[in-house]
Amino acid sequence: MKVSAAKFLSSSGSFPASDILISDEHETLTLVFDRPLPVGDAHLHLSFVGNLNDKMKGFYRSKYVTPSGEERYAAVTQFEATDARRAFPCWDEPAVKATYDVTLVCPKDRVALSNMPVKSEVPLSDDADWKVVEYERTPIMSTYLVAFVVGEYDYVEERDEDGVLIRVYTPLGKKEQGLFALKVSVKTLPFYKRYFNIAYPLVKMDLIAIADFAMGAMENWGLVTYRETALLVDPTNSSATSKQYVAMVVGHELAHQWFGNLVTMEWWTHLWLNEGFASWIEYLCVDECFPEYDIWTQFMVMDYARALELDALQSSHPIEVPVGHPAEVEEIFDTISYCKGASVIRMLHDFIGDDAFRAGLHTYLTAFSYKNTFTEDLWHHLEKASGKPVTAVMSGWTGRMGFPCVKVTSHQEGNCRVLTLEQSKFSADGAKSASDSPWKVPVSILRRDGKVERFLLEERTATHRLEGVGASDWLKLNAGTVGFYRAQYSTEMLNQLMQGIRVGEMSARDRFNVENDVFALAKAGIGSTVDMLRVMLAFADEENYTVWNDIALNWSEVASLLLESDYSEQAKTFGRKLFEPLLPRVGWDAQPGEGHLKSLLRTLVVEMLGRHGHEAVVEESKCRFEKHLNQDLIAADLRSPIYSTVVRVGDEKTLDVMMELHRIAEMHEERNLIERALGAVKDEVLIRRVLEFSLSGAVRSQDVVFMIGAVSGTLAGRRLTWEFVKEKWEHLVNMYESGSLLSRLIKFTTEGFVTEEKAREVEEFFAAHPLPSTERSIQQSCEQIRLRAAWLARDGDELRKFFTEHA
C-alpha cells in the first residue's frame, strides 16, 4: 500500500502531513506534521492506493471458472490476524474497535457483499457499466472482522426462527451445493441464541464459498468466508466425512459471531478465548443438530489427542503466549490455541456443570458486549456463577505449557480399594521433571459398577479410598475422558481394564482413552511398544469408528517409523491382521438405513487395508475404478481410499488417468481427493512428476501444501519431497509470504525423518533460509525427528522380533 497524502482536519483548520513514513519491517505508518496538532475531535484524511494481491491476504483476487469455462477473478478479503492494513490504513489491533461505513464501486453485473445490508445502490455517475454500493454502518468491531467480496455467485436463502435472513453464496450453477450449509445455519444461529441467551446482533448472515482461500473459514461479522470444501456439499458426490466437516466449520464460525465478534480478546495473547471456545462449542452445536454423528466421541481424536501430542513437546507453548511482532501472531493459530483450548474448556464445563457455565457465559457476554476482554474476565464470571475456584484451577492450564501424567497404583483393604495417585509433567521424551509445580487436576474415577467419584488433585501425591470395590474390579481414571491429562496404570490395573474392554463394560470414549494413553506412554519410552501393539490386538471386537480411527492413526505412526527398517514388510502383515476382521463387518456397499459412523468406518477400513496391500481390497479397488471410468461411479465415501489404492499399485498410465480426472473435475472436493491420492505413488520418476504437477498451476495455491505433504508418506516420497521443498523454497515463500500454510508444509515434509542427521539438516537449511512465522514449527519438527530416532533406537530390536513372529 502507498499513502500519497494525509491531512488532519479539525475546527482549527487543515494540517497537511509534511512527511509520510512506512516501515515494512514494523508494519507502521508514521505521519509527520510541521505544526503541533490541536487537542480535540478531528478527522484524519488519507489518500492511498493498493493492489489486489495473489497472496490470499488482505484484499486479494481469487480466480474462478464460469460455467462456460471462462477464467475470471473475484475480489475478496482475509484480514485476520493483521492484514486489514493491506487494504486500508488503520489501527489494526483487536482492541482498537470502530464502526465502518463501507462503499464499493464495482461492475454492475457483479455481486457485491460486505458485513452489513445494502443501504443504497446507484449507477456510477460517469460509467453506467459500474455501480456504487453503500452499506449500513457496522456495529463497533475490530478491523480483522471487516470484509467485502465482489464476484459472480448464486445463492440459496432462508430465514431462521428469529427472522434473520441467512444466505449461502455458491459458485455459479451450484446453488444446490449450498443447501446443506443453509440447513445447518438455520438451526445453528437460534441454538447459540438460546445457549448464550443473547440474540444474534445483526439482521443478516451471509456465508460464501471462495475459490482461493488460505484458511478453512473466517468469521467476518455477518459475512463469513469459506473454502469451497468447508461450505459446499454435493448431494450425490460428497462423502460423509465432507458433510460432517462442513457442519463443524459452519458451527465454529457462527459461534464466533458472539464469542470473538461481539466480545473480542484484548490482544492476540488471548486468541484462545476466540478459537478454543469456538472449537469446543462447535461440537455442542453439531451434537444438537446431528446426534447420529456421536461427535463428542470423535472430539477425542480430532481435538483432544492432537492437543496432548503437541503439548508434550518441549517446543510447545502455553495457551496464553506473549505476542509482539505481527509475524508471531500467525504461529499461534495452531493446535494449542484451538484443540488444547477446546479441551480445557470442556474440562472446565464438566467441572462446574452446564447450568453454571451457561449462566457465567451470559453475564460475561452481556458485560463485555462490543468490548475487549482478558482470560481472567471469563474466569471471574464463571467463578461467580458456579461458586467454584475457577481462576485458581484454570490459571495453571492456560498460563503454562504442558499437562500432567497421573500415575496410579492400588491395593486392596477388604472390600475397599485404596488408590495412590502421583502427578508429574508428561514429556514426549519420557523425561521426569521434579521442579514443576503440580496442576489442580479435576480427577474422576469410573468404577466397574458405573459410579463415578470426583475430587480435585491439588498436590503432587494423594490417596483415595473407594468403598465397595472388589479385588478383581477395574477402575479407570478420567471418566468420559474429560480431563486433560494422561493416566499411567500399574500392570495389574491395566490388565483389569483390558478385560473390561474385551467384554464391553465401558464407553467408547473410555476405551479410546485407555488405548491412546498406552500408546503415548510407549512412544515416550515409559511403556513397551510391543505391549502397546498387543493392546491394539485386544480391540479385535471393537465396533466404534472413533476408537478404530485412533488405532489407525497410532498404528500408522509406528508403520511410518519402520519404513527405513529391514522388517517394514513384516510390519505391513501385522497391519493387515489388525484391520482385516473389520472388512466383513462393514462390507463394500452401504446398506439401506445404515448410520453415518458406519460409513466413516468403511472408508477407514478400505483405506488401511489398501495401504497395507491387502490383495482382495487392491483387486476390488482396481475393479471399481475401471467401472468408475465407464461412468459406474464409485460411491462418494469410497473414492478417497480407492483412488489412493489404485495409484499406489499403478503405473504411469494410471497417473495419466488420475491427472485427467483432476482436470475435468467440477467439484473442489473431488480435486482435493485426487491431489492427495496422487501422493501414494511409489515410483521415483512418477513421484517427481507429481511434485512438479503440484506447482504447475493446475493445483490451487491453497491446496499445494497438502498435495506435497501427501507425497511424503512413502519412503522414497519422504526423501524426494524434502529435496523438492528445498529446491523450490524461494518460490514457495514468494507464493505464500508467511503464514500457517508454510508452517504446515514444513511439518508435513520433515517430521517423518528418523535420524539425528536429518534433524541437523533441517535446522541448518532453515537457519540459512529464516522465516520468522515458521520458527516454532521448525523447532517442533526437529524435536519430533529426534523423538522418532530415539524411539526406533530404543525399541527397534524388540519390534523386529515381534513382527518376525507375527509375520
Side-chain angles (χ1 to χ4, degrees):
M1 178 187 297
K2 295 181 179 179
V3 179
S4 57
K7 55 186 176 182
F8 182 89
L9 303 173
S10 73
S11 58
S12 301
S14 176
F15 299 76
S18 58
D19 201 2
I20 299 170
L21 307 172
I22 293 180
S23 168
D24 292 333
E25 179 183 358
H26 297 103
E27 299 186 15
T28 58
L29 166 67
T30 302
L31 303 177
V32 179
F33 294 87
D34 289 336
R35 295 177 290 161
L37 300 178
V39 175
D41 292 341
H43 288 86
L44 184 62
H45 184 278
L46 300 162
S47 298
F48 63 95
V49 62
N51 70 304
L52 288 176
N53 68 74
D54 294 312
K55 312 296 183 185
M56 296 184 288
K57 294 181 175 185
F59 196 17
Y60 70 94
R61 65 178 192 167
S62 171
K63 184 170 70 176
Y64 62 97
V65 179
T66 68
S68 64
E70 182 182 350
E71 286 188 356
R72 293 181 181 170
Y73 288 90
V76 303
T77 57
Q78 169 58 36
F79 290 162
E80 192 179 30
T82 58
D83 289 312
R85 64 193 69 174
R86 291 176 182 254
F88 54 91
C90 54
W91 279 272
D92 197 12
E93 299 181 2
V96 187
K97 291 191 170 187
T99 60
Y100 296 87
D101 299 325
V102 175
T103 301
L104 296 177
V105 181
C106 61
K108 69 177 183 180
D109 61 349
R110 297 298 192 264
V111 172
L113 303 172
S114 189
N115 304 83
M116 300 299 289
V118 173
K119 181 178 179 180
S120 68
E121 182 176 317
V122 297
L124 185 63
S125 59
D126 56 355
D127 190 340
D129 290 331
W130 287 64
K131 62 183 177 183
V132 179
V133 186
E134 185 179 354
Y135 299 88
E136 300 286 353
R137 177 169 292 177
T138 71
I140 186 168
M141 65 186 199
S142 303
T143 48
Y144 76 88
L145 296 170
V146 178
F148 22 93
V149 176
V150 178
E152 295 176 286
Y153 300 93
D154 284 338
Y155 67 85
V156 289
E157 69 176 18
E158 189 175 337
R159 291 189 183 273
D160 73 4
E161 63 186 46
D162 300 306
V164 177
L165 179 62
I166 303 172
R167 285 180 174 172
V168 177
Y169 285 84
T170 73
L172 293 174
K174 296 183 179 180
K175 64 167 60 179
E176 77 284 352
Q177 294 182 20
L179 290 172
F180 179 75
L182 181 65
K183 171 187 172 184
V184 175
S185 303
V186 167
K187 291 181 179 180
T188 296
L189 278 183
F191 170 77
Y192 287 142
K193 182 204 74 171
R194 291 189 297 270
Y195 196 82
F196 299 131
N197 195 22
I198 295 173
Y200 172 65
L202 306 184
V203 297
K204 65 98 170 174
M205 167 54 66
D206 294 334
L207 301 84
I208 185 166
I210 304 299
D212 293 299
F213 201 71
M215 312 300 288
M218 176 60 212
E219 65 266 23
N220 316 298
W221 216 350
L223 176 56
V224 183
T225 43
Y226 295 79
R227 277 189 180 216
E228 290 186 6
T229 51
L231 188 67
L232 305 182
V233 171
D234 185 282
T236 302
N237 294 302
S238 287
S239 66
T241 302
S242 296
K243 198 172 180 181
Q244 177 178 293
Y245 175 62
V246 168
M248 296 293 288
V249 179
V250 169
H252 182 102
E253 302 308 327
L254 296 193
H256 277 311
Q257 307 303 303
W258 286 264
F259 226 93
N261 299 6
L262 181 63
V263 177
T264 312
M265 71 269 160
E266 177 72 17
W267 179 241
W268 299 109
T269 294
H270 306 279
L271 170 71
W272 88 280
L273 279 176
N274 282 18
E275 300 303 348
F277 184 85
S279 296
W280 170 78
I281 204 169
E282 71 183 68
Y283 284 87
L284 198 70
C285 171
V286 170
D287 190 49
E288 171 81 8
C289 296
F290 303 100
E292 68 274 19
Y293 287 6
D294 188 24
I295 204 68
W296 277 117
T297 302
Q298 293 193 59
F299 176 90
M300 301 294 98
V301 170
M302 293 193 290
D303 282 70
Y304 178 85
R306 290 177 60 205
L308 287 169
E309 180 182 17
L310 182 60
D311 205 31
L313 299 180
Q314 300 300 328
S315 51
S316 181
H317 64 83
I319 285 178
E320 295 181 288
V321 58
V323 173
H325 191 277
E328 297 172 18
V329 179
E330 295 181 337
E331 281 214 285
I332 62 169
F333 283 84
D334 67 355
T335 300
I336 298 300
S337 295
Y338 285 75
C339 302
K340 184 180 179 181
S343 297
V344 299
I345 286 285
R346 178 170 174 261
M347 181 171 66
L348 174 60
H349 174 265
D350 182 74
F351 178 60
I352 69 174
D354 188 63
D355 289 344
F357 193 81
R358 292 177 70 170
L361 284 182
H362 173 74
T363 60
Y364 168 80
L365 290 170
T366 300
F368 294 103
S369 290
Y370 306 103
K371 298 174 185 175
N372 297 79
T373 63
F374 300 88
T375 298
E376 292 75 16
D377 297 317
L378 177 60
W379 294 164
H380 170 75
H381 282 267
L382 293 176
E383 189 165 292
K384 188 174 181 181
S386 66
K388 292 190 175 182
V390 173
T391 302
V393 170
M394 295 307 295
S395 59
W397 296 97
T398 61
R400 60 193 281 202
M401 74 180 199
F403 58 89
C405 177
V406 179
K407 184 177 181 179
V408 57
T409 57
S410 71
H411 68 271
Q412 199 72 19
E413 293 183 0
N415 199 34
C416 174
R417 185 79 64 83
V418 180
L419 300 185
T420 300
L421 300 98
E422 179 185 359
Q423 65 157 303
S424 59
K425 183 180 185 298
F426 181 79
S427 295
D429 60 3
K432 291 285 186 181
S433 174
S435 60
D436 285 300
S437 58
W439 280 263
K440 292 180 177 9
V441 186
V443 170
S444 55
I445 302 172
L446 176 65
R447 301 162 45 130
R448 186 178 181 184
D449 59 13
K451 296 177 182 177
V452 177
E453 300 195 16
R454 302 174 186 272
F455 64 96
L456 191 64
L457 176 62
E458 299 186 74
E459 303 301 326
R460 191 172 300 281
T461 60
T463 58
H464 187 77
R465 299 176 64 88
L466 295 100
E467 302 290 341
V469 177
S472 62
D473 290 344
W474 56 261
L475 293 169
K476 180 190 174 293
L477 256 64
N478 205 1
T481 317
V482 174
F484 194 73
Y485 59 90
R486 296 280 186 202
Q488 180 186 354
Y489 300 96
S490 66
T491 301
E492 181 184 12
M493 292 186 73
L494 181 59
N495 289 337
Q496 289 174 337
L497 280 169
M498 293 313 301
Q499 181 58 29
I501 287 172
R502 288 187 186 96
V503 297
E505 289 182 335
M506 64 186 76
S507 73
R509 295 175 202 176
D510 287 309
R511 299 195 302 272
F512 153 87
N513 188 208
V514 173
E515 183 272 333
N516 190 263
D517 279 350
V518 168
F519 174 79
L521 291 164
K523 185 179 174 184
I526 299 170
S528 161
T529 303
V530 166
D531 287 346
M532 176 270 296
L533 295 173
R534 292 193 177 104
V535 167
M536 286 185 177
L537 290 172
F539 282 82
D541 295 325
E542 179 61 57
E543 299 285 347
N544 184 269
Y545 162 72
T546 298
V547 176
W548 274 114
N549 191 19
D550 192 60
I551 291 172
L553 289 168
N554 293 340
W555 164 247
S556 296
E557 193 166 348
V558 175
S560 172
L561 181 76
L562 303 179
L563 280 178
E564 296 186 39
S565 73
D566 57 6
Y567 50 94
S568 62
E569 286 302 314
Q570 289 95 324
K572 285 176 68 174
T573 301
F574 177 85
R576 289 193 292 271
K577 178 179 179 180
L578 190 60
F579 291 95
E580 189 173 37
L582 289 167
L583 188 59
R585 298 185 216 165
V586 297
W588 279 90
D589 299 303
Q591 300 303 308
E594 82 172 21
H596 174 78
L597 295 172
K598 191 168 185 180
S599 297
L600 298 183
L601 184 57
R602 178 181 298 109
T603 303
L604 177 67
V605 171
V606 175
E607 169 62 35
M608 293 304 293
L609 289 174
R611 189 186 303 171
H612 287 78
H614 187 279
E615 188 173 336
V617 168
V618 170
E619 290 306 312
E620 182 66 15
S621 295
K622 288 161 69 176
C623 178
R624 290 183 180 234
F625 184 70
E626 286 300 320
K627 292 179 179 178
H628 182 75
L629 298 179
N630 292 305
Q631 300 307 308
D632 184 2
L633 300 182
I634 299 169
D637 291 323
L638 288 179
R639 285 188 196 173
S640 176
I642 287 178
Y643 285 170
S644 296
T645 299
V646 168
V647 169
R648 191 175 291 110
V649 299
D651 54 15
E652 187 171 13
K653 181 181 177 182
T654 309
L655 191 61
D656 291 338
V657 171
M658 291 298 292
M659 287 183 172
E660 176 61 15
L661 288 178
H662 183 275
R663 187 188 68 79
I664 65 175
E666 294 184 358
M667 285 176 57
H668 200 144
E669 177 186 337
E670 179 76 1
R671 290 195 297 274
N672 283 173
L673 288 182
I674 295 169
E675 288 157 6
R676 286 163 173 77
L678 291 175
V681 69
K682 287 185 174 181
D683 180 83
E684 292 198 9
V685 173
L686 300 183
I687 289 172
R688 290 189 179 92
R689 185 176 162 196
V690 169
L691 289 169
E692 292 295 340
F693 179 74
S694 71
L695 292 178
S696 66
V699 179
R700 288 191 178 274
S701 56
Q702 66 189 23
D703 302 318
V704 166
V705 163
F706 301 96
M707 184 175 180
I708 293 175
V711 181
S712 65
T714 65
L715 182 57
R718 182 186 293 170
R719 173 174 52 83
L720 293 173
T721 298
W722 172 232
E723 294 302 321
F724 180 78
V725 167
K726 289 191 292 182
E727 177 189 337
K728 303 292 185 181
W729 184 246
E730 186 176 337
H731 174 80
L732 290 162
V733 171
N734 183 58
M735 181 187 296
Y736 299 117
E737 287 193 355
S738 61
S740 63
L741 288 176
L742 281 175
S743 293
R744 289 188 181 194
L745 180 65
I746 291 167
K747 289 196 168 191
F748 288 159
T749 56
T750 62
E751 279 188 339
F753 292 124
V754 293
T755 65
E756 172 62 28
E757 178 186 11
K758 280 296 183 184
R760 287 198 300 268
E761 182 183 322
V762 171
E763 287 173 334
E764 289 167 3
F765 176 80
F766 288 112
H769 302 82
L771 193 64
S773 63
T774 62
E775 288 175 354
R776 183 174 279 117
S777 296
I778 296 163
Q779 293 168 4
Q780 291 171 353
S781 286
C782 292
E783 185 177 352
Q784 290 281 25
I785 295 169
R786 291 185 168 104
L787 288 169
R788 286 164 63 84
W791 187 10
L792 187 58
R794 182 179 62 241
D795 290 352
D797 291 341
E798 188 182 9
L799 286 169
R800 176 185 283 104
K801 182 180 177 183
F802 176 82
F803 287 124
T804 301
E805 291 172 354
H806 274 269

